[in-house]
Amino acid sequence: MQYRLPLLAVRDVEVSKKFYHDLFDQEVAADLGQNVTFSGGFAIQQDFDALVDIPKCTILHQSNNMELYFEVDDFDAFMIKLHGFLDVELVHPPKTHEWHQRVVRLYDPDWHMIEVGESMQVVARRLLEEGNTVEQTAQMTQLPIEFVEACRKGME
């Protein structure tokens, strides 16, 4: 058995397809009308209730019990892009976790939670550029020393 991908129930596949393409640069890998698979390895499904033969009222909106997670190398550029999407509601404003990663969480058009975080390679490189040692950076980010060392070598 192989795990394939998560599937999100959506009200309007065209609205969601545009949202994920325009904001997250997701390309459509397969478009079957009411079911669309994206290049990032997830899918959306319109009329999910009918597909699995359950009552429409059992499809929860804004359950806040899972999220899609994306990483970006340029968090500031993503935030500028996000500000152009005036109808997007944030779960919380941008914040920095204790491991020094900047993140923002938002809702998609069907109230699925999405996290966009700065890539941990970028976090490690930033801390190294600030003058921290590999060991200090590993401790600050909670990353293995080998990972941080690889990030340092990538900067040379």
Side-chain angles (χ1 to χ4, degrees):
M1 179 184 303
Q2 287 185 319
Y3 175 76
R4 291 295 182 189
L5 53 79
L7 182 137
L8 303 175
V10 299
R11 290 172 293 198
D12 187 323
V13 75
E14 293 301 322
V15 168
S16 293
K17 186 167 50 172
K18 180 174 176 27
F19 174 82
Y20 283 104
H21 176 269
D22 293 355
L23 184 55
F24 295 99
D25 302 322
Q26 292 297 295
E27 297 299 327
V28 172
D31 189 337
L32 306 174
Q34 291 187 323
N35 178 283
V36 173
T37 300
F38 292 104
S39 57
F42 68 98
I44 56 176
Q45 175 72 48
Q46 185 173 315
D47 296 328
F48 184 71
D49 55 308
L51 178 70
V52 298
D53 199 25
I54 60 173
K56 187 177 276 303
C57 66
T58 64
I59 304 292
L60 303 178
H61 292 357
Q62 196 173 353
S63 63
N64 290 333
N65 62 2
M66 65 84 59
E67 67 182 15
L68 292 180
Y69 175 68
F70 293 88
E71 283 191 347
V72 294
D73 287 338
D74 189 339
F75 188 77
D76 295 323
F78 176 77
M79 290 306 301
I80 291 168
K81 183 177 184 179
L82 177 60
H83 284 25
F85 289 75
L86 302 177
D87 56 341
V88 171
E89 185 169 333
L90 298 182
V91 176
H92 61 72
K95 66 180 183 179
T96 303
H97 285 298
E98 66 183 62
W99 52 89
H100 296 265
Q101 181 190 35
R102 296 183 297 162
V103 302
V104 66
R105 287 183 177 85
L106 56 114
Y107 291 110
D108 80 357
D110 291 282
W111 294 92
H112 299 107
M113 192 182 301
I114 300 168
E115 177 182 354
V116 178
E118 184 176 32
S119 87
M120 291 308 294
Q121 291 89 347
V122 169
V123 174
R125 286 193 295 262
R126 182 177 72 242
L127 293 173
L128 291 165
E129 288 170 355
E130 291 173 0
N132 295 288
T133 66
V134 168
E135 292 76 15
Q136 289 169 324
T137 300
Q139 184 177 14
M140 293 166 72
T141 59
Q142 304 171 17
L143 293 168
I145 288 176
E146 298 78 17
F147 179 90
V148 177
E149 182 62 33
C151 292
R152 185 191 64 76
K153 286 181 180 174
M155 295 168 52
E156 296 174 349

